[in-house]
């Protein structure tokens, strides 16, 4: 029979509270992102794809991998963004058999507007010192398995 002192580290009260807080942050982020997307007549998924593409053009398989969804779903999202004039398909210069999805100028403008409207995380993070933000970043990177230090 397990005692309190031998409780699994995954079920101790502190860990459970941290997991619950992470869930709350994620839910609030998605709510705000979906609301910002709606102001541009986009779904949350379309806005996330557009935001990802604003960083760099990507093949659809890589977009699907990053967003953890089926490539066929990404094809539909890209089709709808392309009809709106926010995204275009272009050949990959490294492999002309591969098509990259890339934002148009209007797509980059919409992606920037979406990023600028997301205050939920930015405002509380601004209250943390630089050292606290660096510590938080390091802890989050450890949680997701990224060991690189990255730029400051």
């Amino acid at each position: 029979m397990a005692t309190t002192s031998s409780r699994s580290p995954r079920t101790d009260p502190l860990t459970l509270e941290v997991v619950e807080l992470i869930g709350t942050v994620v839910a609030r982020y998605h709510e705000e992102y979906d609301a910002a997307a709606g102001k541009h007549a986009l779904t949350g998924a379309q806005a996330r794809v557009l935001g990802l593409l604003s960083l760099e053009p990507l093949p659809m398989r890589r977009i699907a991998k990053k967003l953890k969804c089926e490539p066929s779903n990404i094809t539909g999202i890209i089709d709808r963004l392309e009809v709106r004039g926010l995204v275009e398909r272009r050949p990959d210069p490294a492999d002309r058999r591969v098509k990259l999805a890339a934002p148009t100028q209007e797509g980059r403008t919409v992606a920037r507007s979406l990023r600028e409207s997301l205050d939920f995380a930015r405002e509380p993070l601004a209250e943390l010192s630089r050292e606290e933000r660096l510590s938080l970043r390091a802890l989050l990177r450890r949680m997701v398995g990224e060991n690189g230090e990255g730029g400051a």
Side-chain angles (χ1 to χ4, degrees):
M1 196 175 269
T3 64
T4 305
S5 63
S6 66
R7 184 180 276 171
S8 168
R10 286 181 237 145
T11 59
D12 71 89
L14 177 58
T15 299
L16 293 175
E17 181 182 2
V18 170
V19 169
E20 186 65 29
L21 288 167
I22 290 170
T24 300
V25 168
V26 169
R28 286 186 184 173
Y29 173 81
H30 283 291
E31 286 171 13
E32 189 169 291
Y33 211 95
D34 290 347
K39 291 177 184 173
H40 293 279
L42 296 171
T43 66
Q46 289 170 337
R48 283 185 276 286
V49 168
L50 187 58
L52 187 60
L53 292 176
S54 73
L55 302 174
E56 66 176 320
L58 294 168
M60 285 180 262
R61 287 192 185 280
R62 209 147 132 230
I63 297 167
K65 186 175 180 180
K66 284 182 174 276
L67 297 179
K68 297 178 181 18
C69 66
E70 291 297 317
S72 61
N73 292 343
I74 297 302
T75 300
I77 291 170
I78 295 297
D79 288 345
R80 289 184 287 283
L81 289 171
E82 192 171 34
V83 166
R84 294 266 315 269
L86 300 175
V87 168
E88 63 186 6
R89 288 176 169 95
R90 54 172 85 141
D92 183 343
D95 183 350
R96 303 211 30 102
R97 297 169 296 175
V98 175
K99 292 285 187 196
L100 299 177
T104 62
Q105 182 58 46
E106 183 181 355
R108 284 189 290 278
T109 299
V110 170
R112 185 174 36 257
S113 174
L114 284 165
R115 265 192 311 276
E116 289 170 357
S117 68
L118 299 176
D119 295 326
F120 166 69
R122 194 173 32 233
E123 288 176 6
L125 286 173
E127 294 177 15
L128 299 177
S129 69
R130 176 174 168 72
E131 292 74 26
E132 288 171 324
R133 290 192 315 272
L134 287 169
S135 295
L136 179 58
R137 181 182 69 181
L139 291 168
L140 291 170
R141 283 182 172 175
R142 263 180 59 195
M143 286 183 68
V144 298
E146 292 180 13
N147 294 326
E149 291 299 312

